[in-house]
Amino acid sequence: MGPLSARLLMQRGRPKSDRLGKIRSLDLSGLKLLSEHLDPKLLSRLTQLQELDLSNNQLETLPANLGLSHLRVLRCANNQLGDVTALCQFPQLEELSLEGNPFLTVSDNLKVSFLLPKLRKVNGKDASSTSSQVENLNRELTSRVTAHWEKFKAALSPGEEAEKAQADFVKSAVRDIRYGPESLSEFTQWRVRMISEELVASGGAQVREADIPERPPKAPAAQEPRARPVAVKRPDDVSLSPSPNKRVCTSSSVCVEGSAPGSDDSRPALDLEPLHFLQCHSKNNSPRDLETQLWACAFEPAWEEGHAGATSQTVATCGGEAVCVIDCQTGIVLHKYKAPGEEFFSVAWTALTVVTQAGHKKRWSVLAAAGLRGLVRLLHVRAGFCCGVIRAHKKAIATLCFSPTHETHLFTASYDKRIILWDLGVPTHDYEFQASRLLTLDAASIPLRLCPVASCPDAYLLAGCEGGCCCWDVRLDRPQKRRVCEVEFVFSEGSEAAGRRVDGLAFVNEDVVASKGNGLGTICLWSWSQTWGARGKQSSLAVVVLARLQWSPTKLAYFSLSTCPGEPPHPAAPSILKWPQPWALGQMVTKTMVNTVAANRTCTYLTALTDSNIVAIWKRQ
């Protein structure tokens, strides 16, 4: 489709007329329009246009000067829009559709609400809840910018140049003022910049005292502003937080081989504050459901990869037929994906670079989820839809793992005793995946945990299995596409014995591996380099044990073991967390057990899944 013409507009406009100025409704959907095809000079002749349908095209932006001042309904679903600020040219807009634009985020939803004060519906849903959230955010941000302005003025030297000082103030406000969850940081920084510039332009008089009401008392959790107009935090998902004076003061005594408990080498245990207890995986949203099993949780990769201190506070959890994406700071369930008849066992994140038809690069997170039905579902969580399904195995998938060096490479491990390496490929312009199988790895028993070797992730893959710990060669420059286990690792007495289940496996750093099995109550720390260096041509290797950590003897299996790569380990051993029992959940006191825990990059937030269908979120003190 090339540039629009007056003849085409009259053909697709209503009512039928030979004059553009009489058209009130115009359908331009499904024409493969690009942004440059929207000619402002031509469209500005539609002086009476009230309804415009631009859905199912390839628009990346909207021209800023279309001149459609009477527009009340705009449909832009299923495009490639990455920015919504151009919508401010439609002040009379009442209904808006933006579904199916994968690059738009929760922050863009809030920008829309701020830019269009008369908006009543977004994506077919009532926009009032989002408008209320924007008002609350504006009130708080205005108050904080004003307070920052007063402090900034007081610190100015008498001879400082006014223009430079004002520019410095705007920069410092955008840098230093933070409020709300990380998922809304783009919106809050956008508003902080606007408020700061307005304040500077008015000489500090723009924000009057009357415009800054006192901060209202904190609403109950069920009435908290939601992150999206499509409600994701149900009343059942109330944050059941203990009272503020209830802190987790851990006093873990870690027994390390060669080091007595309480010696100078012992590291202080983490001090954790409980933030939220959510029951967001319940059947039929019932708070009485304590039977749905929660299996895995994983933190989203940081968007500012490479920046010092970059981290994510967004975690994905899976259990039953649902996958939830939760903001740890607020406890809000940002997204929820359901697949009736499925039981999800594992989730894993990757961050892909997509090139649009116009040649622009976009970065977005994809969440892989799999379970009982042997299917891998690829979820574009920020846009809220499933963009691909891989029929990976005929039996249930126990766990997933993305390659740390190839963003499109995904390992799947199944109860069919196979591990498959997939290349998801770069998604098409319609965000569809064409996955291909790269390798098939045969196991002697069911693989339960996957772990690429930290020092050479493209060469070797470790797996904790029902029958022990095994290693495969996964180098793609070798001709065999189907391979058997290269080496089986044997543990000495006092740790996991040969042939015994290994259901916990993780690298503490590039050399130290942590592994565990149920029954013996120990976590074994062993050296990959020293163990592998003694291999020769052996198919069975005794691991070089560095330490054994006592934790808890139990007959229950499938307790996960996680490490935090951003947290430097103690030279002797990492800390072991003791979780409080019982937990007070509203009027109910439940003795519960943690079976899965994950920490974000800097160990600031920890998410734990319990055997009582509770997602528990903690913050490091």
Side-chain angles (χ1 to χ4, degrees):
M1 179 69 192
L4 297 175
S5 65
R7 181 180 178 182
L8 178 65
L9 299 187
M10 287 186 286
Q11 287 176 347
R12 300 184 70 108
R14 296 289 184 276
K16 288 296 184 181
S17 172
D18 58 355
R19 294 180 58 186
L20 295 180
K22 291 186 178 182
I23 294 177
R24 292 179 175 272
S25 176
L26 180 61
D27 182 0
L28 297 178
S29 63
L31 297 178
K32 298 184 179 180
L33 292 174
L34 302 177
S35 300
E36 53 266 29
H37 294 159
L38 300 181
D39 183 1
K41 290 183 179 180
L42 178 62
L43 293 176
S44 63
R45 293 166 59 185
L46 300 164
T47 54
Q48 298 301 316
L49 191 67
Q50 295 187 11
E51 184 174 344
L52 176 60
D53 191 346
L54 292 171
S55 55
N56 300 304
N57 284 298
Q58 298 165 8
L59 305 176
E60 295 190 1
T61 60
L62 290 176
N65 53 345
L66 293 177
L68 305 175
S69 58
H70 296 286
L71 199 64
R72 296 181 182 276
V73 178
L74 177 62
R75 299 184 181 93
C76 292
N78 301 319
N79 278 282
Q80 300 181 31
L81 296 176
D83 183 58
V84 296
T85 53
L87 294 173
C88 65
Q89 65 185 297
F90 310 126
Q92 304 301 319
L93 207 62
E94 298 177 0
E95 295 185 24
L96 176 65
S97 174
L98 291 171
E99 292 176 306
N101 284 275
F103 301 123
L104 297 184
T105 66
V106 175
S107 289
D108 291 306
N109 290 337
L110 299 187
K111 288 181 182 180
V112 164
S113 184
F114 173 79
L115 294 169
L116 304 171
K118 293 189 177 182
L119 201 62
R120 295 185 296 104
K121 286 187 176 181
V122 177
N123 298 332
K125 298 183 181 295
D126 182 33
S128 59
S129 60
T130 308
S131 298
S132 175
Q133 183 181 9
V134 169
E135 290 175 6
N136 292 334
L137 284 171
N138 273 331
R139 185 182 299 112
E140 181 65 31
L141 293 174
T142 300
S143 175
R144 293 186 180 217
V145 171
T146 304
H148 190 75
W149 172 252
E150 297 300 328
K151 290 182 180 179
F152 187 85
K153 284 197 305 181
L156 285 177
S157 58
E160 193 164 351
E161 185 181 345
E163 188 173 340
K164 181 180 182 303
Q166 292 171 351
D168 289 344
F169 164 70
V170 174
K171 290 180 182 178
S172 67
V174 173
R175 182 186 66 243
D176 298 336
I177 296 177
R178 293 288 182 269
Y179 180 67
E182 181 183 310
S183 57
L184 305 184
S185 61
E186 182 189 348
F187 173 79
T188 55
Q189 290 183 27
W190 179 72
R191 281 296 295 137
V192 165
R193 179 176 295 279
M194 292 174 67
I195 296 169
S196 303
E197 290 174 347
E198 291 169 3
L199 195 62
V200 166
S202 64
Q206 180 69 28
V207 183
R208 300 186 302 275
E209 192 171 319
D211 295 331
I212 311 172
E214 292 185 9
R215 186 181 304 177
K218 184 175 178 64
Q223 300 174 4
E224 287 280 330
R226 296 174 181 180
R228 297 189 63 174
V230 284
V232 286
K233 189 177 180 185
R234 308 183 322 271
D236 303 346
D237 298 335
V238 176
S239 302
L240 302 172
S241 300
S243 56
N245 60 348
K246 225 174 193 182
R247 300 286 178 106
V248 182
C249 299
T250 58
S251 56
S252 169
S253 56
V254 180
C255 297
V256 182
E257 195 174 67
S259 173
S263 68
D264 292 339
D265 286 338
S266 63
R267 180 181 181 179
L270 300 180
D271 185 15
L272 303 172
E273 176 187 6
L275 294 182
H276 311 285
F277 296 95
L278 307 177
Q279 199 172 357
C280 48
H281 289 269
S282 307
K283 291 179 181 176
N284 301 319
N285 298 337
S286 172
R288 291 180 292 277
D289 172 27
L290 298 178
E291 297 180 357
T292 298
Q293 295 291 304
L294 307 184
W295 291 102
C297 53
F299 277 86
E300 181 179 10
W303 283 91
E304 300 176 302
E305 196 72 41
H307 290 221
T311 187
S312 168
Q313 63 185 39
T314 304
V315 69
T317 61
C318 72
E321 62 181 15
V323 174
C324 293
V325 180
I326 304 168
D327 184 281
C328 288
Q329 180 177 338
T330 64
I332 292 175
V333 182
L334 300 173
H335 308 274
K336 188 168 186 177
Y337 176 80
K338 279 191 173 183
E342 179 66 276
E343 183 173 4
F344 288 107
F345 293 153
S346 184
V347 287
W349 292 91
T350 189
L352 300 180
T353 301
V354 179
V355 180
T356 67
Q357 286 187 335
H360 300 150
K361 291 186 178 180
K362 302 278 188 177
R363 190 80 168 163
W364 49 289
S365 293
V366 173
L367 179 65
L372 186 64
R373 298 178 64 181
L375 304 176
V376 178
R377 301 171 195 270
L378 303 172
L379 309 178
H380 190 325
V381 292
R382 291 179 183 267
F385 68 91
C386 177
C387 49
V389 177
I390 305 172
R391 299 185 180 279
H393 297 268
K394 291 183 179 180
K395 291 189 177 182
I397 295 174
T399 189
L400 300 168
C401 175
F402 275 100
S403 164
T405 54
H406 298 281
E407 59 188 21
T408 63
H409 286 190
L410 173 68
F411 290 97
T412 60
S414 170
Y415 282 80
D416 62 12
K417 301 181 184 179
R418 289 191 180 97
I419 301 168
I420 297 178
L421 173 60
W422 303 87
D423 186 353
L424 305 183
V426 179
T428 66
H429 298 302
D430 295 326
Y431 312 104
E432 295 177 351
F433 288 87
Q434 296 292 331
S436 59
R437 183 184 302 200
L438 300 178
L439 290 176
T440 299
L441 311 176
D442 291 318
S445 59
I446 299 171
L448 303 173
R449 299 284 182 260
L450 299 179
C451 194
V453 173
S455 59
C456 47
D458 293 333
Y460 295 103
L461 176 74
L462 281 180
C465 305
E466 287 282 0
C469 185
C470 300
C471 177
W472 284 265
D473 186 331
V474 293
R475 285 174 286 186
L476 295 176
D477 57 357
R478 303 216 163 178
Q480 300 88 354
K481 298 304 178 185
R482 186 156 191 166
R483 303 173 188 178
V484 297
C485 169
E486 287 266 324
V487 172
E488 181 179 358
F489 294 99
V490 179
F491 295 85
S492 60
E493 185 179 354
S495 183
E496 301 95 331
R500 187 175 294 228
R501 175 191 296 123
V502 175
D503 61 0
L505 191 66
F507 272 84
V508 178
N509 54 36
E510 284 206 349
D511 182 53
V512 178
V513 186
S515 59
K516 61 163 280 291
N518 63 305
L520 295 174
T522 58
I523 295 173
C524 181
L525 300 184
W526 51 283
S527 169
W528 163 262
S529 61
Q530 295 179 49
T531 302
W532 194 253
R535 179 194 174 192
K537 295 184 178 180
Q538 301 177 65
S539 60
S540 180
L541 279 178
V543 301
V544 178
V545 177
L546 303 177
R548 296 188 185 96
L549 311 180
Q550 298 297 323
W551 67 290
S552 176
T554 176
K555 295 181 180 179
L556 297 176
Y558 313 123
F559 279 64
S560 74
L561 187 154
S562 301
T563 60
C564 184
E567 180 75 4
H570 186 276
S575 296
I576 302 297
L577 304 179
K578 280 189 175 179
W579 300 88
Q581 297 184 24
W583 281 339
L585 304 176
Q587 300 297 320
M588 175 179 63
V589 176
T590 302
K591 288 188 176 181
T592 188
M593 185 178 296
V594 172
N595 52 33
T596 298
V597 63
N600 70 340
R601 183 180 306 273
T602 55
C603 205
T604 303
Y605 292 98
L606 291 94
T607 299
L609 307 182
T610 77
D611 60 357
S612 297
N613 191 19
I614 304 296
V615 178
I617 299 174
W618 304 74
K619 186 174 183 180
R620 183 177 182 177
Q621 294 298 290

